[in-house]
Amino acid sequence: METPRIVVLILNYNSWEATVAYIRQLKLQQGIMLSILVVDNCSTDNSYTALGQHLQDEEHVDIIQSEYNGGYAYGNNFGLKYLQQKIPENTFVVVSNNDISIDNPKLLEQLTNSYQQCNDIAFISPLMHMDGRPARNAAWKIPGFSYDIRTVVGFNRAKANEAVYYDLPTQQKPMAVDCLTGSFFMGKLETFIQLDFFDDRTFLYEEERILGLKVKKAGLKNYLALQLGFFHENSTIISKEMNHLAQLQHLLNSRIVFHKFHADTNIFLQNFLKLFYALFLFAKKLQLKFRKSK
């Protein structure tokens, strides 16, 4: 059997130390031909220079910098389109955060084996673990329109989230799912190309949901490899770089992008959602202004 060729694409923003540590961990993977591409998403902490200095002696590690900080989708697209010019289309590409850890030196090799066992596959991910246990949001069903109302206005958000999470079986074979976590998943470069990459009209949030719907419309499937795992820490980089209101604005904008450009949501409901979110954000801003004035 031919040794699988894998490129791990890592998006870095103001976190070069975590990226360097993660690359050293990836270098322990066995049974594959591994290359690593780091896309520095126009960091403001001199990450691009620091990465070059600390990784200059590492073989098969490339570091590039995006033209501007366009968020998760834009940064990963920048890397994928760079790879499109450099590697064969059927190469495996792992899109990965830098805040994860892997304790299985055969994980990537085993993940490619699981990929080969799946029918009509687009992407596959190991089971994400957080706080020492399998994460409920390792995979989820594509939410409907009502979800985007209920999870904003506060109608039992936990119940709304539970409705879209899967009950994870104890089976060892890969499980077909709608959406995979964007922190670590793998597919062929040609699949990213076929699906027209990520939608970079989003800056943050809902990228997995949009990609999951693209996969479904293409007649393909995503899979969760239940027998394999990785560990994901709660990242502090977003909250460090962006206040809660800005995060909320990005979330709501991404949901509008989903309904306008991808879902079969009629124009009336699209306009309702835009108005509803605009009023909600206005109320949030007034609330924050009132709190500051007290």
Side-chain angles (χ1 to χ4, degrees), residues 115 120-124 186-188 191 195 215 220-222:
Y115 178 99
D120 301 321
I121 184 172
F123 304 110
I124 190 169
M186 185 185 77
K188 293 286 187 72
T191 306
L195 298 174
V215 167
L220 301 174
K221 298 175 184 176
N222 289 325

Side-chain angles (χ1 to χ4, degrees), residues 41-281:
N41 216 4
C42 279
S43 297
T44 59
D45 68 345
N46 206 35
S47 273
Y48 184 63
T49 301
L51 287 166
Q53 292 172 344
H54 286 80
L55 298 171
Q56 59 182 335
D57 296 326
E58 293 285 354
E59 293 185 354
H60 308 297
V61 177
D62 288 336
I63 306 164
I64 60 175
Q65 190 172 51
S66 60
E67 296 172 348
Y68 60 92
N69 178 16
Y72 174 94
Y74 168 79
N76 280 306
N77 283 350
F78 191 86
L80 290 166
K81 291 173 182 178
Y82 174 86
L83 291 175
Q84 191 177 0
Q85 309 301 318
K86 300 287 183 179
I87 62 175
E89 284 188 356
N90 63 353
T91 302
F92 287 105
V93 177
V94 175
V95 173
S96 179
N97 284 9
N98 63 2
D99 56 353
I100 71 168
S101 59
I102 300 169
D103 63 2
N104 175 5
K106 292 279 191 176
L107 176 67
L108 292 179
E109 180 188 26
Q110 291 167 358
L111 192 61
T112 60
N113 292 337
S114 294
Y115 178 99
Q116 304 289 0
Q117 299 169 16
C118 300
N119 296 320
D120 301 321
I121 184 172
F123 304 110
I124 190 169
S125 170
L127 179 58
M128 179 171 69
H129 289 68
M130 300 182 74
D131 300 322
R133 62 178 68 92
R136 291 289 282 148
N137 61 337
W140 60 96
K141 305 165 191 173
I142 297 172
F145 183 85
S146 64
Y147 176 91
D148 292 335
I149 301 295
R150 296 170 64 197
T151 51
V152 168
V153 296
F155 290 134
N156 200 338
R157 294 178 189 175
K159 186 176 181 180
N161 284 328
E162 283 299 317
V164 301
Y165 291 153
Y166 290 98
D167 293 324
L168 300 179
T170 56
Q171 67 185 32
Q172 291 298 296
K173 65 180 183 180
M175 170 186 175
V177 297
D178 285 350
C179 305
L180 294 168
T181 174
S183 59
F184 187 94
F185 70 96
M186 185 185 77
K188 293 286 187 72
L189 177 60
E190 63 192 35
T191 306
F192 285 102
I193 296 169
Q194 176 188 350
L195 298 174
D196 196 27
F197 306 100
F198 293 97
D199 188 331
D200 54 21
R201 286 168 291 207
T202 65
F203 185 88
L204 189 64
Y205 306 119
E206 303 291 359
E207 302 92 352
E208 305 102 328
R209 180 184 186 184
I210 292 172
L211 191 61
L213 186 55
K214 283 185 174 186
V215 167
K216 181 172 283 191
K217 286 185 173 182
L220 301 174
K221 298 175 184 176
N222 289 325
Y223 286 88
L224 187 63
L226 296 165
Q227 78 280 19
L228 302 174
F230 71 98
F231 303 92
H232 187 206
E233 302 300 326
N234 281 313
S235 177
T236 59
I237 190 68
I238 293 175
S239 57
K240 178 182 175 183
E241 300 290 337
M242 189 183 301
N243 63 42
H244 176 71
L245 183 60
Q247 293 178 50
L248 184 59
Q249 287 175 313
H250 284 305
L251 171 64
L252 302 186
N253 175 71
S254 293
R255 289 183 173 183
I256 289 171
V257 168
F258 172 80
H259 288 284
K260 182 176 181 181
F261 298 104
H262 301 282
D264 298 323
T265 307
N266 65 54
I267 192 67
F268 172 80
L269 290 179
Q270 289 180 38
N271 289 334
F272 172 80
L273 195 66
K274 290 177 185 177
L275 178 60
F276 176 78
Y277 282 171
L279 291 173
F280 179 78
L281 286 171

